[in-house]
Amino acid sequence: MTNSSFTLAKHTILPGTHKTVFFPAPNINTQIKLEIPVHVFHGKKPGPKIFIISAIHGDELNSIEIIRRVHEHINVKKLSGTIITVPVANIYGVILQSRYLPDRRDLNRSFPGSKNGTIAARLAHGIIKQIVKHCDYGIDLHTGAIGRINMPQLRVNLSTPGAKKLACYFGIPIILDAKLRDGSLRSTASELGIPLLVYEGGEALRYNELCIRAGTRGIINVLHHLKMMKSTQSHKPALSNTVITNTSRWVRSPASGLVQPVADAFTRRVKKDDVLAYIHDPFVINPSAKVVAPFEGIVIGQALRTMANDGDPLFHIASFKKIAGVQAYIEEYRDEISD
């Protein structure tokens, strides 16, 4: 069966073709016109429609590289369905190397947006109207905030029909059944009944090769399992023992000072009351304070800055029932990604 033509923002894309559509972005205060390139890969055969979006936060450059690598795997002549990619959603933030828009608003707290609202609301409205509502599935790529690193993980609203199955297809060690946040793209997609995976991996303003590979492979896994792309002999199937948890917590600094992490704390298994770091007084007057794990789990995120204020989040720990199996799976997964 041959696919029909696809229309996006008054642009017609023929079956078996790749077209770049330029969306006008709201003007900034200098009246300079900006456009956001959106790639549409429209397969010859009918199938699902999926969007992949990155750089909703303008300092999350890791996610842009993931989309570039995904493009290299797409053969539009053999594709079933439609893939819409947005390498740079927050063009203003990328230009400024900032998480936010020029008005300091967070685009991922501005959905579903408004046609006549702020610059963030208008941009969010355009993304929902022109892209999200055309699709059956979505993948939203992120990194840790500036000064933090996240190990590869998915954050998903598992109450959305089809979300759990899609997340397991991604084939990544850890899935967080995370609460919806008002104004997030994930929240709006859930209201529309669209399963959306939020991939977290790496840190702001820096490439992390392991996290890039994990994100790229996860997306390809999803496309294969949705039968949009055919598997190749070199493609490794998604691992089947992905672990889901809805329990995670940031451990905060008990004092202000210089942070000395315990070696190899990131991604390792920790037990209750294990020391994660020491906080030293820069004036060498007060005794050092210990940062301890409140429960047994896996460190899935870590602050990278050497100085911390009292109460700053330092380590993100996820809790699991079968902790030993999770640790073994993470090590296996890391070895596979590093090959």
Side-chain angles (χ1 to χ4, degrees):
M1 184 183 295
T2 304
N3 209 354
S4 58
S5 297
F6 179 71
T7 301
L8 188 72
K10 299 181 180 180
H11 293 267
T12 299
I13 300 95
L14 299 176
T17 63
H18 165 213
K19 187 169 185 175
T20 305
V21 176
F22 292 88
F23 284 87
N27 286 353
I28 55 177
N29 52 17
T30 57
Q31 295 288 314
I32 294 175
K33 295 185 181 300
L34 296 176
E35 292 181 316
I36 298 174
V38 175
H39 296 268
V40 183
F41 299 86
H42 189 47
K44 276 194 170 183
K45 298 179 181 179
K49 298 179 180 65
I50 186 170
F51 70 87
I52 308 166
I53 190 167
S54 75
I56 280 181
H57 295 129
D59 57 3
E60 296 179 340
L61 307 182
N62 223 43
S63 60
I64 300 174
E65 175 62 11
I66 291 172
I67 286 187
R68 188 190 70 80
R69 295 190 190 186
V70 168
H71 280 196
E72 294 178 346
H73 288 267
I74 300 173
N75 183 340
V76 73
K77 300 295 184 184
K78 297 181 179 181
L79 181 68
S80 296
T82 307
I83 302 171
I84 302 173
T85 69
V86 188
V88 178
N90 181 359
I91 190 169
Y92 314 95
V94 170
I95 292 170
L96 297 171
Q97 297 186 52
S98 168
R99 179 180 179 88
Y100 304 106
L101 284 95
D103 59 1
R104 298 296 298 168
R105 284 182 168 85
D106 186 336
L107 180 57
N108 209 28
R109 296 294 178 270
S110 303
F111 291 100
S114 168
K115 183 178 180 180
N116 299 312
T118 64
I119 191 172
R122 295 181 187 208
L123 182 55
H125 173 76
I127 291 171
I128 296 298
K129 180 181 178 181
Q130 304 291 356
I131 298 167
V132 174
K133 287 186 175 181
H134 288 274
C135 295
D136 306 303
Y137 305 96
I139 300 176
D140 182 14
L141 303 172
H142 289 267
T143 73
I146 195 163
R148 298 182 191 174
I149 185 169
N150 286 332
M151 75 167 287
Q153 59 195 261
L154 288 181
R155 299 181 185 180
V156 187
N157 176 28
L158 295 181
S159 65
T160 303
K164 182 177 180 179
K165 193 173 183 180
L166 193 70
C168 290
Y169 283 161
F170 201 94
I172 205 166
I174 294 174
I175 299 172
L176 296 179
D177 184 8
K179 294 180 180 179
L180 295 174
R181 294 192 174 185
D182 290 343
S184 68
L185 177 58
R186 187 162 60 95
S187 178
T188 300
S190 181
E191 291 174 2
L192 294 170
I194 299 171
L196 176 69
L197 307 182
V198 175
Y199 171 74
E200 292 272 357
E203 57 183 294
L205 298 175
R206 292 171 65 93
Y207 274 0
N208 181 293
E209 182 62 25
L210 185 143
C211 294
I212 291 170
R213 290 184 183 185
T216 303
R217 191 178 84 156
I219 293 170
I220 300 304
N221 283 340
V222 167
L223 297 176
H224 285 158
H225 283 287
L226 291 176
K227 298 182 179 179
M228 299 178 73
M229 293 169 53
K230 291 184 178 179
S231 298
T232 62
Q233 291 182 349
S234 62
H235 171 69
K236 295 180 179 179
L239 296 172
S240 60
N241 52 342
T242 293
V243 183
I244 299 172
T245 182
N246 59 6
T247 305
S248 69
R249 173 179 162 189
W250 275 97
V251 181
R252 298 183 178 274
S253 178
S256 298
L258 297 165
V259 183
Q260 180 189 1
V262 172
D264 298 325
F266 183 54
T267 75
R268 78 174 176 91
R269 174 184 177 180
V270 295
K271 296 180 180 178
K272 187 177 186 298
D273 297 326
D274 275 359
V275 177
L276 303 174
Y278 294 92
I279 309 297
H280 302 304
D281 179 0
F283 300 106
V284 200
I285 297 173
N286 299 305
S288 299
K290 294 179 181 179
V291 182
V292 298
F295 51 78
E296 186 176 29
I298 301 289
V299 179
I300 62 171
Q302 181 176 338
L304 299 173
R305 289 174 173 167
T306 303
M307 294 206 71
N309 296 311
D310 191 356
D312 280 354
L314 298 180
F315 298 93
H316 191 192
I317 301 178
S319 175
F320 303 91
K321 292 181 180 179
K322 298 180 180 179
I323 193 74
V326 178
Q327 180 63 27
Y329 178 33
I330 290 173
E331 292 172 1
E332 176 189 356
Y333 181 82
R334 181 185 291 167
D335 290 341
E336 284 193 12
I337 290 295
S338 299
D339 288 344

